Amino acid sequence: MYTILQKERLNPTVSKMVVSAPKVAKKAKAGQFIILRVHENGERIPLTIADYDREQGTITIIYQIVGRTTMLLDQLTVGEAILDFVGPLGKPSEIEGLHKVCVIGGGVGCAIAYPTAKALYENGAEVTVITGFRNKDLVILQDEFQKVCKDLHLVSDDGSTGKQGLVTNVLEELIQNGEQFDEVIAIGPLVMMKFVCQLTKKYEIKTVVSMNPIMIDGTGMCGGCRLSVGGKTCFACVDGPDFDGHAVDFDEAISRSSSYRNEEQHAREATCNLLNKEA
Amino acid sequence: MANMANEKVKMPVQDGIVRSGNFDEVALGYDEAMAVEEATRCLNCVNRPCVSGCPVKVKIPDFIAEVAKGDFKKAYEVIHETSSLPAVCGRVCPQETQCEQKCVRGIKGESVAIGRLERFVADWYRKNCKDALPKPQSNGHKVAIVGSGPAGLTCAGDLAKLGYHVSVFEALHVAGGVLMYGIPEFRLPKEIVQHEIEGLKQQGVEIECNTVIGRSESIDELFEEGYEAVFIGSGAGLPNFMNLPGENLKGVYSANEFLTRCNLMKAYQEGVDTPIQRPEKAVIVGGGNVAMDAARCAKRLGVKEVSIVYRRSMEELPARKEEVEHAMEEGIQFCLLRNPVRVLGNEEGWVKGVECVEMELGEPDESGRRRPVEKENSNFVIEADCMIMAIGTSPNPLIRSTTEGLDTNRKGCLITDESGKTTREGVFAGGDAVTGAATVILAMGAGKTAAKAIDEYIQNK
């Protein structure tokens, strides 16, 4: 039983859950993900492991309420259980040998960026973090990031919190001010990662991105999560989710991510109606 | 005196047009009278050639003799002695190239309908006998099985019968492997698969789902936990693609993805959350059973035109004849001696057509089949908004990349001897993980052989 031990709303659309999953916790590493299913007729969705506690046997997940499954997940309360919860899946992030790293999190991508920043920090690296959000209401994990980095930069699209601008503005400023990063790790919306990669390519800084495509099994079986990396087809679930950002075909990934947009919208509306009725 | 009718008793089936609109089982099964009548066609020959054609060595003439007598329960017990999954085998085994191919009655007419009889017996037992078979006495030894597909379940069943404490680890949320995610409901109802698995549980087999060996736990850790041997039956899960331009367009799927959405996740049903595309025109690439399954699922999802594109001719089509016939009856089109070269997309990134070339057959290649050769300047386009690649699968690298001492061949298949022993002590393997994509019954045969080898290994330790 994957019992929910804690649940916290981080912003109006993002929640955090601490789930009892001792076997997953025993093996989890930064960069890996789990797949969960909420009910018997539910779909399987991948979520990145935001944190883990091997002793307590818990996994922390942070999810944005975007569609039917995350809405249903968000209906569950402390003490209730998630039906299926499998992991850790994917390859852990490679953090060895990195001394000076810039970790960039965009929106709910911060949930994935945080464990990576933490792992780097615990491994002795000097970590700079840039987080970007649409507005002040959506900001998450600032206290957590603060504890695992040298510098924390916050930007928002509308300037309602932190500096107004994009994560790429801050990154370029840092680079121009002479910061020399071994690597940039960017995790967030596909468009953000694409532009970070364009920028770092210009400055020839190795950049790793974490891809989160549509997935069913998460073990290499369905091929739904495939993407082109350096002209080769890779499966995000077994070859990733981390990839060399300069080799990823982002336009293709952006296109593929919309494969079920109509169906998803339908399901979301139906679920909204259902939940409203129940409320 | 045997019933000397030259033809099998006909199998009642759902009408082709009707069934192409539903996911209910195609073949409806014999009733008791039909089964008894068919059973009397068996000559009960002394040298039992049929048994030699069965990878799990079901005592075919013995069970058929019980059917002829009307003792269906006894017939089931005879099958169950050697086969853990009779209701599955009776449905999906290629009997025509195995037991039935060896049947003496096949020389002058049609062979005895062994598969149909096996299915009848298993179905009869499921409906009429609710009592669990007695649980074997424990011998105190623990064996771990990786993967709950046909190889793993058979190995588990055989070891459990010998008194082993067997734990099966399954990556997905439900046990059954390809029987659940791959083979469609209309060929193998999932309720039947689960019933067979319940039977194994009653025999003491433990199944732990949501456990990915290689990630959740390693093979080494299984040994540390006290398992004395490990059987790897993790299948050949990784779908192959052709690396065609446009293959990553929206609307292009591996057969695994399409079938998993449809079968495992039940996307064809109302009230189920997993989405599936419902295209107008689908092209399925490949000629095996998986291609037939994908095509027939697409038809049932309401796709108006479903075409199978295969690079050789009808004669070389690797799918079972029965499946091909069923597909044709359901209105699936066969574009033979054709091969895709490019996938065409629209401005939104969706497939709009598949560019193909015509092929002709040249000299035989290493597989013994005539090698298809492209005809120059024969390119043409099939309009389609969905393309499904059913051109085979490769073994999943997860276990070999996380386990020391397991040798694989260049295709990534685990290397074993004929008893299923891998290059690492105490580790056995069988099924698609060893052979690459093959059939359910061959995987079951391998699971059975390995169970015997595991028993010998542990008893001689």
Side-chain angles (χ1 to χ4, degrees), chain A residues 2 23 26-27 32 37 39 41-44 68-69 72 83-92 214 216-217 219-224 226-228 233 235 238 252 255-256 258-260 263, chain B residues 169 171-173 181 208-212 215-218 221 225 237-239 241 243 247-250 252-254 256-257 260-261 264-265 271-278 348-350 396:
Chain A
Y2 310 101
K23 275 198 164 176
K26 198 174 144 202
K27 285 300 180 72
Q32 292 185 298
R37 217 163 59 108
H39 65 102
N41 286 327
E43 60 182 340
R44 295 168 64 96
R68 176 168 169 83
T69 300
L72 295 176
L83 181 63
D84 295 298
F85 195 90
V86 57
L89 299 167
K91 288 183 181 165
I214 292 169
I216 311 178
D217 63 294
T219 62
M221 199 184 82
C222 78
R226 67 191 188 277
L227 45 136
S228 298
T233 293
F235 292 178
V238 286
E252 181 188 278
S255 171
R256 286 185 62 78
S258 70
S259 293
Y260 293 95
E263 288 86 351
Chain B
F169 298 96
L172 293 172
H173 56 267
Y181 75 74
E208 203 173 318
C209 290
N210 292 329
T211 307
V212 185
R215 288 268 179 245
S216 319
E217 275 182 275
S218 65
E221 284 167 311
E225 284 165 31
L238 239 55
F241 288 92
N243 295 317
E247 210 172 26
N248 290 348
L249 284 163
K250 287 181 281 185
V252 183
Y253 307 92
S254 71
N256 264 8
E257 176 176 0
T260 299
R261 284 182 185 276
L264 178 73
M265 305 310 293
V272 165
D273 293 350
T274 302
I276 195 162
Q277 193 200 341
R278 293 185 186 252
E348 277 116 50
W350 281 95
N396 195 313

Side-chain angles (χ1 to χ4, degrees), chain B residues 67-132:
Chain B
V67 176
K69 279 190 247 161
D71 191 344
F72 308 131
K73 185 162 185 279
K74 188 75 200 299
Y76 181 83
E77 286 161 8
V78 173
I79 299 174
H80 192 261
E81 277 177 45
T82 58
S83 171
S84 302
L85 309 167
V88 173
C89 291
R91 288 173 165 81
V92 303
C93 267
Q95 291 99 8
E96 64 280 5
T97 59
Q98 297 180 1
C99 52
E100 293 185 15
Q101 191 186 40
K102 309 255 174 169
C103 176
V104 171
R105 294 300 307 265
I107 298 168
K108 278 195 178 162
E110 287 185 340
S111 65
V112 175
I114 300 168
R116 294 174 186 176
L117 288 172
E118 182 181 29
R119 169 186 162 149
F120 165 78
V121 169
D123 288 354
W124 183 91
Y125 188 86
R126 189 173 65 254
K127 281 180 207 124
N128 294 287
C129 300
K130 303 292 175 198
D131 300 343

Side-chain angles (χ1 to χ4, degrees), chain A:
Chain A
M1 287 299 269
Y2 310 101
T3 310
I4 299 163
L5 304 175
Q6 283 176 46
K7 184 180 169 190
E8 192 187 330
R9 175 70 36 116
L10 300 184
N11 76 30
T13 62
V14 175
S15 291
K16 170 175 132 175
M17 269 183 187
V18 178
V19 181
S20 168
K23 275 198 164 176
V24 187
K26 198 174 144 202
K27 285 300 180 72
K29 286 194 173 143
Q32 292 185 298
F33 63 95
I34 57 100
I35 283 195
L36 61 76
R37 217 163 59 108
V38 177
H39 65 102
E40 210 36 70
N41 286 327
E43 60 182 340
R44 295 168 64 96
I45 62 159
L47 286 174
T48 304
I49 294 169
D51 210 345
Y52 52 84
D53 185 327
R54 298 201 205 286
E55 273 154 38
Q56 302 293 315
T58 60
I59 292 287
T60 303
I61 50 171
I62 294 178
Y63 55 91
Q64 184 161 26
I65 304 155
V66 285
R68 176 168 169 83
T69 300
T70 39
M71 280 179 191
L72 295 176
L73 177 65
D74 204 52
Q75 293 293 304
L76 298 177
T77 54
V78 171
E80 291 184 296
I82 297 172
L83 181 63
D84 295 298
F85 195 90
V86 57
L89 299 167
K91 288 183 181 165
S93 298
E94 285 174 17
I95 55 163
E96 288 307 318
L98 296 175
H99 302 292
K100 194 167 160 57
V101 186
C102 180
V103 177
I104 303 176
V108 75
C110 288
I112 313 172
Y114 168 65
T116 304
K118 183 177 160 195
L120 283 161
Y121 179 79
E122 285 172 353
N123 207 37
E126 186 185 312
V127 183
T128 299
V129 174
I130 307 171
T131 57
F133 301 91
R134 286 211 309 279
N135 61 53
K136 70 173 180 349
D137 298 331
L138 303 177
V139 173
I140 58 169
L141 295 171
Q142 295 298 296
D143 295 344
E144 285 83 351
F145 274 119
Q146 197 65 258
K147 288 180 203 147
V148 298
C149 69
K150 184 180 71 128
D151 292 311
L152 174 62
H153 302 267
L154 171 65
V155 294
S156 59
D157 292 1
D158 64 355
S160 57
T161 183
K163 258 192 186 173
Q164 198 220 327
L166 303 169
V167 292
T168 40
N169 302 139
V170 181
L171 178 62
E172 185 150 35
E173 217 176 285
L174 291 171
I175 296 168
Q176 283 176 350
N177 288 341
E179 294 276 7
Q180 300 210 334
F181 299 113
D182 303 342
E183 187 172 299
V184 170
I185 299 175
I187 305 160
L190 287 165
V191 177
M192 181 206 91
M193 295 195 283
K194 177 181 164 179
F195 283 102
V196 168
C197 289
Q198 277 180 8
L199 179 70
T200 55
K201 189 146 196 193
K202 193 168 91 184
Y203 291 99
E204 294 179 350
I205 306 167
K206 186 184 172 198
T207 302
V208 169
V209 293
S210 176
M211 302 300 283
N212 185 18
I214 292 169
M215 226 175 246
I216 311 178
D217 63 294
T219 62
M221 199 184 82
C222 78
C225 66
R226 67 191 188 277
L227 45 136
S228 298
V229 182
K232 236 182 86 196
T233 293
C234 291
F235 292 178
C237 64
V238 286
D239 302 318
D242 289 359
F243 291 98
D244 171 1
H246 295 156
V248 170
D249 182 340
F250 281 104
D251 293 334
E252 181 188 278
I254 290 167
S255 171
R256 286 185 62 78
S257 71
S258 70
S259 293
Y260 293 95
R261 189 176 285 156
N262 292 342
E263 288 86 351
E264 282 161 0
Q265 194 169 343
H266 238 111
R268 183 169 55 232
E269 282 161 13
T271 315
C272 280
N273 290 339
L274 181 79
L275 296 177
N276 282 340
K277 238 184 254 166
E278 281 174 5

Side-chain angles (χ1 to χ4, degrees), chain B residues 140-192:
Chain B
H141 294 286
K142 278 170 77 180
V143 178
I145 310 258
V146 181
S148 67
L153 290 178
T154 303
C155 190
D158 278 22
L159 287 169
K161 273 182 211 154
L162 294 169
Y164 286 90
H165 175 100
V166 184
S167 306
V168 181
F169 298 96
E170 166 58 45
L172 293 172
H173 56 267
V174 56
V178 74
L179 307 175
M180 289 304 287
Y181 75 74
I183 302 176
E185 178 76 19
F186 56 83
R187 262 203 319 127
L188 180 63
K190 302 307 143 209
E191 192 195 331
I192 288 174

